[in-house]
Each structure stands twice: as C-alpha cells, then as structure tokens.
Amino acid sequence: MRELRIRVLAAVFVVAGILSWAGARLWNSVGTLPSVPLAAPIVLAVIAVVLLATALSIRSRLKAQRERRPEAKGVDPLMAARAVVFGHASALVAALVAGMYGGTGVFLLESLDIPARRDQAIYAGLSVVAGIGVIAAAIFLERVCKLPEDDENDGTGVAPTV
C-alpha cells in the first residue's frame, strides 16, 4: 500500500478551495449562499479522535508485543490494514471537505459585518482546522502501522505499510 502523500492532499485541498470559492461567488450572485453546517467541524473532529484513538491503541499493543509482556494482545494484520485504509480514505475526504469549506470561508471573509455570515465563516474555519486534524491523525496512524524496513523484500529499501 502506498503512503499518504502530503502533496496530493495539499493539491486536493487547494483545488477544492478554489472551486468552492468560485462556486460561492457564483452562488452569491444569484442571491443565496449555501450555509456551512455546525455539524461539519464536529463530525470531522470525531473522525480525528477515532483515528487518533485507533493509532494509540495499535501503538500500545505493538509496544507490549515487542516487550514480550505476558498479557500482550497481538495486533491482527488485517485489522491494522483496515485501519490504514480507513485513515487514507478519511485523509482524502478531509482534504476535500476542508478545501471546500476553506474556499467558502475565504469568500465569507468579505462580509464579516453580517452576523450570519460571520458565524458561517467561523464554522468554515473550524471545519478546516478539524480537517487538518483528521489528516494529521491519519498520517500518525499510517506511521504506527508501518512495517519495519526489510531489504530482502524488493531491494528498494522502502518499507511497505501494513
């Protein structure tokens, strides 16, 4: 499985942000603007917490296994692979969603004197921060589940992820 690429996530974020900003300008010219839901940053924060908890759990189980503790519970490779896939998918979706809300938030910065738009800009900013949290937690989870380097595998010296 390939590692998460920060450049890809940043590109998704920037492209989604630009398209969202342009869409918000167009939509506003019609007279309305779709709102940023209050649930957006909350849902992203919950996903970040789940990813972080999964990473910490796997990391502690791997540490106990390495130290050969008698009560150590092993890590199922399939479960670790599923966790990494969940992290990858979450990071890509978070980059897309954070870019969308970031572009909308940048557009809303023009009209912060209107209380409703100010609230929407705050929700958009919190969504971007929570999306970055999801990406950070996904990268941490990926690093926790990374296999140690094995030069006998393919001769490239690159360690595959679980």
Side-chain angles (χ1 to χ4, degrees):
M1 178 176 286
R2 299 182 66 103
E3 290 184 9
L4 279 172
R5 306 267 185 216
I6 300 295
R7 285 179 282 159
V8 171
L9 296 174
V12 168
F13 176 82
V14 168
V15 169
I18 291 170
L19 291 175
S20 176
W21 174 79
R25 285 182 55 97
L26 180 65
W27 206 308
N28 191 51
S29 68
V30 175
T32 62
L33 183 67
S35 65
V36 178
L38 175 61
I42 295 170
V43 169
L44 287 170
V46 167
I47 292 170
V49 167
V50 168
L51 285 170
L52 185 61
T54 302
L56 293 174
S57 171
I58 291 174
R59 186 176 75 165
S60 68
R61 289 169 71 182
L62 287 172
K63 182 180 177 187
Q65 202 172 8
R66 275 192 305 268
E67 294 173 353
R68 300 193 188 274
R69 293 185 198 153
E71 76 278 356
K73 205 173 170 188
V75 177
D76 180 27
L78 188 57
M79 191 266 310
R82 287 178 180 156
V84 171
V85 169
F86 174 60
H88 277 232
S90 298
L92 287 169
V93 170
L96 178 68
V97 170
M100 286 176 21
Y101 288 132
T104 303
V106 167
F107 173 76
L108 290 170
L109 289 177
E110 299 171 0
S111 55
L112 289 179
D113 53 333
I114 303 170
R117 296 256 174 131
R118 185 178 332 118
D119 291 344
Q120 295 298 305
I122 291 170
Y123 298 156
L126 290 174
S127 296
V128 170
V129 170
I132 292 169
V134 170
I135 292 168
I139 289 172
F140 178 63
L141 175 62
E142 180 183 67
R143 299 301 185 260
V144 165
C145 292
K146 191 172 186 175
L147 292 174
E149 289 192 31
D150 183 11
D151 292 332
E152 296 175 9
N153 276 345
D154 56 357
T156 63
V158 177
T161 54
V162 177

